[in-house]
């Protein structure tokens, strides 16, 4: 990067002091100082140009041509992506719901513990509505209500697939990371995973082979083997690097009279990220991105605590059909999937 004038913002004089190379760099820095990194947005449009609204790029990046999602009261099928536009057409197919990052703020450990205590203490059920009490009573008869310090894992067949649902109450971030890691381990064990879904309270994994021993999937060594490979190969690090680069001033979003779009910034930061990974893997910004991805995007601390105690606290119940507590997470199926080609090979 020393070969590019735009990155040589400070030069060292003969007196040993560092000075700004050009006054324009000072004005540009002031223009971008304190900028907030918001989620990039995609415009949802029909082919005729009619705009329906915006979705976050984080959700849009999971869509491929042929995928369907509910938006603006319609079931929409993706035709293609053009720069910042998502071109769609109306469809009658079953679709998934749009998700936003604002809904993915993980519950705290304190709140999760209170919820577990309420669920386990029957005396607290009187404060719940009648339908919630009935829901818990049926869950208790058919399966179990997890104790505050217990990891309940249910396995059951459903719609021609084998499911595993773990009620760990560790928040969306930790469950999302754990789902990616567990499906990677299932792949290595020949269990043919098809995908996973997660919310704040539970993680559901489904595949073509029955999971006989869930404890093997919750082994602490999953953080040593699968975690590092997954984070480095996924988009997590690039997403974290984009935020670090913008906040650090490496990439400027604001320019006099114009502003870079989310896709322009992504292209710039992805290019710089790939160059640094190849030629300067120990760069300060890469280390900052790695720390951000580990701490904030994967909630690795809560994930490690869960895996350390899983073997001692796990209660595995093999059921003939879906349990009541599994229903809220199962209806989310379709939001996260393994690659299409891999799923087609397994089917």
């Amino acid at each position: 990067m020393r070969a590019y004038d735009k990155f040589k913002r400070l030069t060292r004089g003969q007196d040993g002091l560092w000075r700004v190379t050009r006054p324009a760099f000072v004005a540009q820095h002031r223009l971008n100082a304190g900028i907030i990194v918001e989620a990039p947005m995609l415009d949802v449009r029909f082919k005729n140009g009619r705009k329906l609204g915006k979705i976050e790029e984080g959700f849009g990046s999971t869509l491929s041509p042929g995928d369907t999602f509910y938006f603006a009261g319609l079931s929409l099928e993706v035709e293609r992506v053009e720069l910042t536009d998502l071109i769609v057409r109306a469809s009658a197919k079953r679709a998934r719901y749009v998700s936003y990052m604002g809904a993915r703020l993980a519950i705290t450990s304190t709140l999760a513990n209170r919820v577990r205590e309420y669920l386990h203490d029957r005396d607290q059920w009187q404060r719940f509505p009648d339908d919630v009490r009935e829901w818990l009573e049926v869950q208790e008869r058919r399966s179990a209500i997890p104790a505050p310090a217990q990891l309940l894992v249910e396995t059951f067949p459903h719609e021609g697939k084998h499911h595993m649902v773990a009620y760990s109450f560790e928040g969306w971030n930790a469950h999302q990371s754990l789902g990616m890691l567990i499906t990677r381990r299932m792949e290595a064990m020949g269990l043919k995973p098809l995908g996973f879904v997660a919310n704040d309270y539970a993680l559901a994994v489904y595949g073509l082979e029955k999971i006989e021993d869930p404890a093997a999937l919750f082994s602490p060594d999953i953080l040593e083997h699968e975690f590092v490979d997954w984070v480095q190969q996924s988009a997590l690090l690039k997403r974290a690097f984009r935020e670090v680069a913008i906040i650090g001033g490496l990439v400027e979003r604001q320019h006099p009279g114009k502003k870079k779009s989310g896709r322009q910034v992504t292209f710039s930061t992805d290019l710089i990220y790939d160059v640094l990974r190849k030629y300067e893997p120990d760069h300060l910004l890469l280390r900052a991105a790695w720390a951000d991805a580990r701490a904030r995007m994967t909630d690795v601390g809560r994930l490690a605590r869960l895996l350390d105690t899983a073997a001692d606290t796990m209660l595995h119940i093999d059921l003939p059909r879906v349990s009541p507590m599994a229903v809220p997470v199962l209806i989310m199926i379709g939001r996260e999937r393994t690659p299409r080609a891999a799923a087609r090979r397994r089917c």
Side-chain angles (χ1 to χ4, degrees), residues 153-180:
V153 177
E154 297 174 339
T155 53
F156 49 82
H158 180 60
E159 295 184 346
K161 305 179 186 68
H162 294 281
H163 294 70
M164 178 188 74
V165 181
Y167 306 94
S168 53
F169 295 83
E170 292 296 345
W172 187 90
N173 284 338
H175 291 162
Q176 189 78 359
S177 303
L178 184 60
M180 294 295 295

mmCIF file of all heavy atoms in Angstrom, residues 153-180:
data_model
loop_
_atom_site.group_PDB
_atom_site.id
_atom_site.type_symbol
_atom_site.label_atom_id
_atom_site.label_comp_id
_atom_site.label_asym_id
_atom_site.label_seq_id
_atom_site.Cartn_x
_atom_site.Cartn_y
_atom_site.Cartn_z
ATOM 1 N N VAL A 153 -31.659 -31.605 24.889
ATOM 2 C CA VAL A 153 -31.476 -31.877 23.466
ATOM 3 C C VAL A 153 -32.508 -32.915 23.039
ATOM 4 O O VAL A 153 -32.559 -34.003 23.617
ATOM 5 C CB VAL A 153 -30.054 -32.394 23.158
ATOM 6 C CG1 VAL A 153 -29.927 -32.737 21.670
ATOM 7 C CG2 VAL A 153 -29.012 -31.362 23.548
ATOM 8 N N GLU A 154 -33.333 -32.556 22.076
ATOM 9 C CA GLU A 154 -34.359 -33.467 21.561
ATOM 10 C C GLU A 154 -34.000 -33.887 20.142
ATOM 11 O O GLU A 154 -33.527 -33.071 19.350
ATOM 12 C CB GLU A 154 -35.731 -32.788 21.552
ATOM 13 C CG GLU A 154 -36.236 -32.391 22.930
ATOM 14 C CD GLU A 154 -37.518 -31.588 22.849
ATOM 15 O OE1 GLU A 154 -37.802 -31.015 21.772
ATOM 16 O OE2 GLU A 154 -38.235 -31.519 23.867
ATOM 17 N N THR A 155 -34.239 -35.140 19.820
ATOM 18 C CA THR A 155 -34.089 -35.633 18.459
ATOM 19 C C THR A 155 -35.395 -36.290 18.044
ATOM 20 O O THR A 155 -36.028 -36.988 18.837
ATOM 21 C CB THR A 155 -32.923 -36.635 18.334
ATOM 22 O OG1 THR A 155 -33.082 -37.673 19.313
ATOM 23 C CG2 THR A 155 -31.590 -35.952 18.550
ATOM 24 N N PHE A 156 -35.808 -36.067 16.805
ATOM 25 C CA PHE A 156 -37.071 -36.629 16.327
ATOM 26 C C PHE A 156 -37.117 -36.537 14.799
ATOM 27 O O PHE A 156 -36.440 -35.698 14.193
ATOM 28 C CB PHE A 156 -38.265 -35.866 16.914
ATOM 29 C CG PHE A 156 -38.165 -34.379 16.804
ATOM 30 C CD1 PHE A 156 -38.507 -33.719 15.627
ATOM 31 C CD2 PHE A 156 -37.704 -33.624 17.883
ATOM 32 C CE1 PHE A 156 -38.400 -32.347 15.528
ATOM 33 C CE2 PHE A 156 -37.597 -32.244 17.784
ATOM 34 C CZ PHE A 156 -37.945 -31.606 16.601
ATOM 35 N N PRO A 157 -37.926 -37.404 14.163
ATOM 36 C CA PRO A 157 -38.127 -37.306 12.714
ATOM 37 C C PRO A 157 -39.246 -36.319 12.408
ATOM 38 O O PRO A 157 -40.188 -36.156 13.184
ATOM 39 C CB PRO A 157 -38.533 -38.730 12.326
ATOM 40 C CG PRO A 157 -39.214 -39.262 13.549
ATOM 41 C CD PRO A 157 -38.548 -38.619 14.741
ATOM 42 N N HIS A 158 -39.137 -35.642 11.255
ATOM 43 C CA HIS A 158 -40.181 -34.693 10.851
ATOM 44 C C HIS A 158 -40.058 -34.424 9.361
ATOM 45 O O HIS A 158 -38.982 -34.047 8.878
ATOM 46 C CB HIS A 158 -40.045 -33.388 11.643
ATOM 47 C CG HIS A 158 -41.080 -32.359 11.288
ATOM 48 N ND1 HIS A 158 -42.436 -32.569 11.429
ATOM 49 C CD2 HIS A 158 -40.952 -31.097 10.776
ATOM 50 C CE1 HIS A 158 -43.101 -31.497 11.045
ATOM 51 N NE2 HIS A 158 -42.223 -30.600 10.632
ATOM 52 N N GLU A 159 -41.133 -34.660 8.630
ATOM 53 C CA GLU A 159 -41.205 -34.400 7.195
ATOM 54 C C GLU A 159 -40.062 -35.058 6.425
ATOM 55 O O GLU A 159 -39.430 -34.446 5.558
ATOM 56 C CB GLU A 159 -41.231 -32.892 6.919
ATOM 57 C CG GLU A 159 -42.480 -32.198 7.444
ATOM 58 C CD GLU A 159 -42.533 -30.731 7.082
ATOM 59 O OE1 GLU A 159 -41.485 -30.187 6.653
ATOM 60 O OE2 GLU A 159 -43.609 -30.117 7.214
ATOM 61 N N GLY A 160 -39.777 -36.310 6.771
ATOM 62 C CA GLY A 160 -38.776 -37.076 6.041
ATOM 63 C C GLY A 160 -37.338 -36.747 6.383
ATOM 64 O O GLY A 160 -36.416 -37.257 5.731
ATOM 65 N N LYS A 161 -37.114 -35.926 7.397
ATOM 66 C CA LYS A 161 -35.756 -35.572 7.814
ATOM 67 C C LYS A 161 -35.599 -35.846 9.303
ATOM 68 O O LYS A 161 -36.573 -35.980 10.034
ATOM 69 C CB LYS A 161 -35.454 -34.099 7.528
ATOM 70 C CG LYS A 161 -35.677 -33.681 6.091
ATOM 71 C CD LYS A 161 -35.375 -32.204 5.916
ATOM 72 C CE LYS A 161 -35.722 -31.726 4.509
ATOM 73 N NZ LYS A 161 -37.187 -31.734 4.270
ATOM 74 N N HIS A 162 -34.346 -35.911 9.748
ATOM 75 C CA HIS A 162 -34.051 -36.108 11.162
ATOM 76 C C HIS A 162 -33.606 -34.773 11.766
ATOM 77 O O HIS A 162 -32.726 -34.100 11.221
ATOM 78 C CB HIS A 162 -32.961 -37.167 11.350
ATOM 79 C CG HIS A 162 -33.391 -38.541 10.914
ATOM 80 N ND1 HIS A 162 -34.185 -39.353 11.698
ATOM 81 C CD2 HIS A 162 -33.154 -39.230 9.773
ATOM 82 C CE1 HIS A 162 -34.412 -40.495 11.071
ATOM 83 N NE2 HIS A 162 -33.802 -40.455 9.894
ATOM 84 N N HIS A 163 -34.224 -34.399 12.884
ATOM 85 C CA HIS A 163 -33.973 -33.110 13.515
ATOM 86 C C HIS A 163 -33.344 -33.284 14.895
ATOM 87 O O HIS A 163 -33.611 -34.260 15.594
ATOM 88 C CB HIS A 163 -35.282 -32.326 13.666
ATOM 89 C CG HIS A 163 -35.893 -31.911 12.366
ATOM 90 N ND1 HIS A 163 -36.461 -32.806 11.499
ATOM 91 C CD2 HIS A 163 -36.032 -30.684 11.790
ATOM 92 C CE1 HIS A 163 -36.924 -32.158 10.434
ATOM 93 N NE2 HIS A 163 -36.680 -30.879 10.598
ATOM 94 N N MET A 164 -32.552 -32.313 15.251
ATOM 95 C CA MET A 164 -32.019 -32.198 16.607
ATOM 96 C C MET A 164 -32.227 -30.756 17.066
ATOM 97 O O MET A 164 -31.833 -29.816 16.364
ATOM 98 C CB MET A 164 -30.525 -32.535 16.673
ATOM 99 C CG MET A 164 -29.922 -32.371 18.068
ATOM 100 S SD MET A 164 -28.116 -32.532 18.107
ATOM 101 C CE MET A 164 -27.629 -30.954 17.368
ATOM 102 N N VAL A 165 -32.865 -30.571 18.217
ATOM 103 C CA VAL A 165 -33.102 -29.239 18.767
ATOM 104 C C VAL A 165 -32.448 -29.165 20.141
ATOM 105 O O VAL A 165 -32.717 -30.010 21.006
ATOM 106 C CB VAL A 165 -34.604 -28.921 18.879
ATOM 107 C CG1 VAL A 165 -34.804 -27.516 19.434
ATOM 108 C CG2 VAL A 165 -35.285 -29.054 17.522
ATOM 109 N N ALA A 166 -31.586 -28.165 20.334
ATOM 110 C CA ALA A 166 -30.903 -27.954 21.612
ATOM 111 C C ALA A 166 -31.386 -26.642 22.217
ATOM 112 O O ALA A 166 -31.328 -25.598 21.557
ATOM 113 C CB ALA A 166 -29.388 -27.920 21.415
ATOM 114 N N TYR A 167 -31.857 -26.704 23.468
ATOM 115 C CA TYR A 167 -32.373 -25.518 24.161
ATOM 116 C C TYR A 167 -31.296 -25.016 25.119
ATOM 117 O O TYR A 167 -31.242 -25.387 26.285
ATOM 118 C CB TYR A 167 -33.652 -25.868 24.917
ATOM 119 C CG TYR A 167 -34.705 -26.507 24.042
ATOM 120 C CD1 TYR A 167 -34.808 -27.889 23.939
ATOM 121 C CD2 TYR A 167 -35.584 -25.721 23.298
ATOM 122 C CE1 TYR A 167 -35.761 -28.479 23.120
ATOM 123 C CE2 TYR A 167 -36.550 -26.303 22.477
ATOM 124 C CZ TYR A 167 -36.619 -27.679 22.395
ATOM 125 O OH TYR A 167 -37.567 -28.264 21.589
ATOM 126 N N SER A 168 -30.430 -24.160 24.616
ATOM 127 C CA SER A 168 -29.292 -23.698 25.414
ATOM 128 C C SER A 168 -29.443 -22.262 25.905
ATOM 129 O O SER A 168 -28.678 -21.823 26.764
ATOM 130 C CB SER A 168 -28.000 -23.824 24.605
ATOM 131 O OG SER A 168 -28.129 -23.167 23.361
ATOM 132 N N PHE A 169 -30.375 -21.481 25.348
ATOM 133 C CA PHE A 169 -30.668 -20.122 25.819
ATOM 134 C C PHE A 169 -29.423 -19.228 25.838
ATOM 135 O O PHE A 169 -29.255 -18.406 26.729
ATOM 136 C CB PHE A 169 -31.275 -20.170 27.229
ATOM 137 C CG PHE A 169 -32.619 -20.830 27.299
ATOM 138 C CD1 PHE A 169 -32.718 -22.211 27.380
ATOM 139 C CD2 PHE A 169 -33.785 -20.079 27.290
ATOM 140 C CE1 PHE A 169 -33.952 -22.839 27.436
ATOM 141 C CE2 PHE A 169 -35.030 -20.694 27.361
ATOM 142 C CZ PHE A 169 -35.107 -22.080 27.423
ATOM 143 N N GLU A 170 -28.567 -19.362 24.834
ATOM 144 C CA GLU A 170 -27.325 -18.576 24.808
ATOM 145 C C GLU A 170 -27.362 -17.409 23.835
ATOM 146 O O GLU A 170 -26.357 -16.744 23.622
ATOM 147 C CB GLU A 170 -26.138 -19.491 24.467
ATOM 148 C CG GLU A 170 -25.790 -20.507 25.536
ATOM 149 C CD GLU A 170 -25.326 -19.865 26.842
ATOM 150 O OE1 GLU A 170 -25.005 -18.655 26.844
ATOM 151 O OE2 GLU A 170 -25.281 -20.577 27.864
ATOM 152 N N GLY A 171 -28.487 -17.154 23.212
ATOM 153 C CA GLY A 171 -28.594 -15.994 22.332
ATOM 154 C C GLY A 171 -28.356 -16.335 20.871
ATOM 155 O O GLY A 171 -27.735 -17.344 20.525
ATOM 156 N N TRP A 172 -28.869 -15.447 19.995
ATOM 157 C CA TRP A 172 -28.818 -15.701 18.556
ATOM 158 C C TRP A 172 -27.399 -15.820 18.029
ATOM 159 O O TRP A 172 -27.094 -16.711 17.233
ATOM 160 C CB TRP A 172 -29.553 -14.569 17.824
ATOM 161 C CG TRP A 172 -29.711 -14.827 16.353
ATOM 162 C CD1 TRP A 172 -30.742 -15.460 15.738
ATOM 163 C CD2 TRP A 172 -28.801 -14.459 15.319
ATOM 164 N NE1 TRP A 172 -30.545 -15.516 14.377
ATOM 165 C CE2 TRP A 172 -29.356 -14.908 14.094
ATOM 166 C CE3 TRP A 172 -27.564 -13.803 15.298
ATOM 167 C CZ2 TRP A 172 -28.727 -14.709 12.875
ATOM 168 C CZ3 TRP A 172 -26.932 -13.605 14.081
ATOM 169 C CH2 TRP A 172 -27.515 -14.054 12.892
ATOM 170 N N ASN A 173 -26.498 -14.939 18.443
ATOM 171 C CA ASN A 173 -25.132 -14.962 17.920
ATOM 172 C C ASN A 173 -24.444 -16.282 18.194
ATOM 173 O O ASN A 173 -23.834 -16.896 17.316
ATOM 174 C CB ASN A 173 -24.311 -13.815 18.520
ATOM 175 C CG ASN A 173 -24.646 -12.477 17.904
ATOM 176 O OD1 ASN A 173 -25.160 -12.413 16.800
ATOM 177 N ND2 ASN A 173 -24.383 -11.413 18.621
ATOM 178 N N ALA A 174 -24.497 -16.732 19.460
ATOM 179 C CA ALA A 174 -23.849 -17.991 19.827
ATOM 180 C C ALA A 174 -24.488 -19.170 19.103
ATOM 181 O O ALA A 174 -23.796 -20.076 18.630
ATOM 182 C CB ALA A 174 -23.908 -18.196 21.341
ATOM 183 N N HIS A 175 -25.811 -19.178 19.007
ATOM 184 C CA HIS A 175 -26.498 -20.280 18.328
ATOM 185 C C HIS A 175 -26.189 -20.296 16.838
ATOM 186 O O HIS A 175 -26.039 -21.363 16.234
ATOM 187 C CB HIS A 175 -28.005 -20.173 18.541
ATOM 188 C CG HIS A 175 -28.429 -20.439 19.946
ATOM 189 N ND1 HIS A 175 -29.656 -20.061 20.449
ATOM 190 C CD2 HIS A 175 -27.781 -21.052 20.972
ATOM 191 C CE1 HIS A 175 -29.752 -20.426 21.707
ATOM 192 N NE2 HIS A 175 -28.628 -21.023 22.051
ATOM 193 N N GLN A 176 -26.113 -19.107 16.227
ATOM 194 C CA GLN A 176 -25.793 -19.035 14.809
ATOM 195 C C GLN A 176 -24.408 -19.623 14.553
ATOM 196 O O GLN A 176 -24.208 -20.397 13.608
ATOM 197 C CB GLN A 176 -25.842 -17.575 14.345
ATOM 198 C CG GLN A 176 -25.737 -17.392 12.848
ATOM 199 C CD GLN A 176 -27.046 -17.678 12.129
ATOM 200 O OE1 GLN A 176 -28.035 -18.037 12.757
ATOM 201 N NE2 GLN A 176 -27.051 -17.534 10.826
ATOM 202 N N SER A 177 -23.449 -19.248 15.377
ATOM 203 C CA SER A 177 -22.091 -19.772 15.227
ATOM 204 C C SER A 177 -22.064 -21.273 15.473
ATOM 205 O O SER A 177 -21.435 -22.033 14.731
ATOM 206 C CB SER A 177 -21.147 -19.065 16.203
ATOM 207 O OG SER A 177 -21.167 -17.668 15.997
ATOM 208 N N LEU A 178 -22.759 -21.698 16.532
ATOM 209 C CA LEU A 178 -22.779 -23.117 16.864
ATOM 210 C C LEU A 178 -23.422 -23.935 15.753
ATOM 211 O O LEU A 178 -22.977 -25.054 15.441
ATOM 212 C CB LEU A 178 -23.523 -23.332 18.183
ATOM 213 C CG LEU A 178 -23.546 -24.764 18.728
ATOM 214 C CD1 LEU A 178 -22.132 -25.266 18.981
ATOM 215 C CD2 LEU A 178 -24.372 -24.837 19.999
ATOM 216 N N GLY A 179 -24.475 -23.398 15.130
ATOM 217 C CA GLY A 179 -25.111 -24.109 14.031
ATOM 218 C C GLY A 179 -24.159 -24.347 12.873
ATOM 219 O O GLY A 179 -24.123 -25.444 12.289
ATOM 220 N N MET A 180 -23.354 -23.336 12.522
ATOM 221 C CA MET A 180 -22.386 -23.498 11.443
ATOM 222 C C MET A 180 -21.343 -24.548 11.810
ATOM 223 O O MET A 180 -20.955 -25.382 10.984
ATOM 224 C CB MET A 180 -21.702 -22.160 11.153
ATOM 225 C CG MET A 180 -22.616 -21.096 10.598
ATOM 226 S SD MET A 180 -23.280 -21.499 8.972
ATOM 227 C CE MET A 180 -21.790 -21.517 7.993
#
